[in-house]
Amino acid sequence: MIPYGRQSISDEDVAAVVRVLRSDFLTQGPEVPRFEQAVRDYTGAGHALAFNSATSALHAACLALGVGPGDRVWTSPNTFVASANCARYCGATVDFVDIDPETLNLGVAALAAKLEAAAAASQLPKVVIAVDFAGEPCDLRAMRALLDRYGPIRLIEDASHAIGGRYADRPIGAGEFSDITIFSFHPVKLITTAEGGMALTNDAALAEAMALFRSHGITRDAAKLEADEGPWYYEQQTLGYNYRMTELQAALGTSQLTRLDAWVARRHELAAQYDRALAGLPLKLPRYDAAGRSALHLYPVQLQGAAVGRRVFFERLRARGIGVNVHYIPVHRQPDYRQLGFRAGDFPCAEAYYANAVSLPMYADLSDAQQAEVVTAVKGSLQS
Ligand SMILES: *Cc1c(COP(=O)(O)O)cnc(C)c1O
């Protein structure tokens, strides 16, 4: 089976992890700060905090921004559930902004209209979580301008698909327009630490708050302690969690990061080859590179005037050993969101995209020969 995405692990990656296994620290040693520094250097962000997943990083980001009961948080329906769940962990109310059918990202026009209506009803959100779907950067400059007009409204960029991409001539994560940027290092993403994530910000107070939430709300910083009972002394100053990344994961991440640019370049090569090979078929191909450089996490096609339906197309591809997938079932269609009152039809652009979407294999180690196999299978599976 050719999967839709998979990690690339080198001998250097293995050696980096083994070195840590034989070292003094398996957690809370030098490797996590080293990985954080490497991602700061790569992105230009002022602060970077490693987490044990992007989901926990999203949770800490919401907490640091003060999200709580009574607050509203808006995100895109075309995302993994974690982009919305993080606000619910904080007791906030989640709502969605429909996507732009071309970029498949949270739509700027839809955001403008929803903000106008929410302002009239005194129901503005506290935070908007924009998602760089498939690696395509959101139009953050336009979003920031809109949020500032109605704000203060904070912006989290869920860049789980987008490390290695660029927006407005700077690396994703530089944080020129968003308050906090989140990366995921799950194995199907751009680089991996098995499980893992990171939160980036240029705001020292937000970084400090997220660091506290990451580790039980505990500090040992003498400048911040209320008392000094001895060298062993620490204080829990807020309710936090254990969301820490291990040293093994961080060493893997640092090693992986050295190959990220080459991997994104290979993804662009593969996408250009798909674009050429699939042109003229009853498929709408993904648009990318609109506002910057996509990291091309996914290559999602949409059936368009095909003789077969999506389900048959998908099942035929799987039967031919092509591990296609669908990104995403709109979050508001999940049973756990329906019980909050969301209904089919609430976000028609995300639903129309979902109805025809299939993600083709896209990862750095996909060979030209494997890609040719995918293309042959796609052509064969489109026959009536
Ligand atoms: C993968 C993903 C997440 C969650 O990442 P984890 O590291 O698995 O917690 C969140 N948001 C988006 C858009 C994702 O694709």
Side-chain angles (χ1 to χ4, degrees):
M1 177 80 77
I2 300 175
Y4 84 90
R6 82 165 262 133
Q7 70 278 12
S8 174
I9 299 293
S10 68
D11 290 346
E12 289 75 22
D13 292 336
V14 173
V17 174
V18 169
R19 211 179 308 119
V20 172
L21 263 176
R22 298 209 165 103
S23 77
D24 290 338
F25 297 101
L26 301 186
T27 185
Q28 294 174 284
E31 291 297 334
V32 165
R34 218 177 123 217
F35 182 35
E36 291 170 340
Q37 180 65 51
V39 174
R40 275 203 300 280
D41 291 344
Y42 183 85
T43 57
H47 305 269
L49 291 134
F51 281 82
N52 57 5
S53 70
T55 303
S56 44
L58 282 163
H59 183 197
C62 286
L63 290 170
L65 291 170
V67 172
D71 291 326
R72 294 179 185 80
V73 174
W74 295 356
T75 189
S76 169
N78 183 33
T79 187
F80 185 57
V81 292
S83 311
N85 290 344
C86 56
R88 292 175 58 198
Y89 298 155
C90 304
T93 301
V94 172
D95 201 355
F96 301 92
V97 181
D98 207 356
I99 61 168
D100 175 322
E102 291 309 312
T103 65
L104 308 175
N105 283 332
L106 189 152
V108 174
L111 179 63
K114 198 173 175 95
L115 284 168
E116 191 180 337
S122 295
Q123 294 186 337
L124 284 167
K126 182 170 215 162
V127 173
V128 170
I129 303 178
V131 182
D132 299 321
F133 175 73
E136 176 67 16
C138 289
D139 193 352
L140 295 170
R141 190 194 300 272
M143 288 180 186
R144 179 87 266 171
L146 270 176
L147 298 183
D148 288 349
R149 191 182 312 161
Y150 291 94
I153 301 171
R154 312 303 289 268
L155 181 59
I156 297 176
E157 181 183 4
D158 182 346
S160 290
H161 299 183
I163 188 173
R166 296 178 70 83
Y167 175 74
D169 285 332
R170 298 183 69 188
I172 302 279
E176 194 178 347
F177 303 100
S178 50
D179 294 284
I180 298 172
T181 304
I182 304 293
F183 293 145
S184 171
F185 307 128
H186 181 279
V188 296
K189 308 289 167 72
L190 285 303
I191 62 171
T192 192
T193 60
E195 298 283 357
M198 201 170 280
L200 292 82
T201 182
N202 293 317
D203 182 321
L206 290 178
E208 202 176 297
M210 290 191 286
L212 216 50
F213 288 121
R214 177 174 64 175
S215 200
H216 309 282
I218 284 175
T219 183
R220 294 171 183 276
D221 182 346
K224 302 206 178 63
L225 297 176
E226 289 175 18
D228 174 12
E229 300 185 4
W232 61 86
Y233 188 67
Y234 61 82
E235 288 176 358
Q236 179 184 330
Q237 296 186 331
T238 187
L239 183 63
Y241 301 82
N242 180 351
Y243 281 169
R244 294 188 303 258
M245 177 179 277
T246 68
E247 293 285 284
L248 297 110
Q249 292 169 297
L252 178 57
T254 304
S255 180
Q256 291 256 305
L257 187 63
T258 62
R259 308 205 297 294
L260 175 58
D261 287 342
W263 287 341
V264 172
R266 173 61 180 159
R267 286 171 181 270
H268 275 267
E269 209 170 81
L270 289 165
Q273 287 168 183
Y274 271 140
D275 290 349
R276 283 194 295 274
L278 302 176
L281 296 175
L283 295 174
K284 182 173 178 179
L285 304 182
R287 182 181 118 167
Y288 49 92
D289 278 353
R293 183 174 169 82
S294 173
L296 277 168
H297 165 53
L298 300 172
Y299 191 88
V301 301
Q302 295 169 68
L303 290 173
Q304 196 173 51
V308 290
R310 193 264 303 269
R311 183 168 185 143
V312 169
F313 180 59
F314 186 101
E315 287 174 343
R316 285 180 180 174
L317 284 166
R318 281 281 179 96
R320 288 169 185 253
I322 311 300
V324 286
N325 218 314
V326 171
H327 302 91
Y328 284 99
I329 305 162
V331 178
H332 68 284
R333 300 276 310 273
Q334 296 291 348
D336 192 45
Y337 279 80
R338 287 208 310 268
Q339 58 89 20
L340 297 173
F342 293 105
R343 292 287 172 267
D346 283 350
F347 304 99
C349 297
E351 293 171 42
Y353 158 71
Y354 163 67
N356 294 303
V358 174
S359 297
L360 301 184
M362 169 57 80
Y363 52 94
D365 283 355
L366 184 69
S367 70
D368 287 350
Q370 287 172 315
Q371 188 182 31
E373 213 180 300
V374 175
V375 168
T376 303
V378 166
K379 288 179 176 166
S381 301
L382 284 167
Q383 313 295 324
S384 59

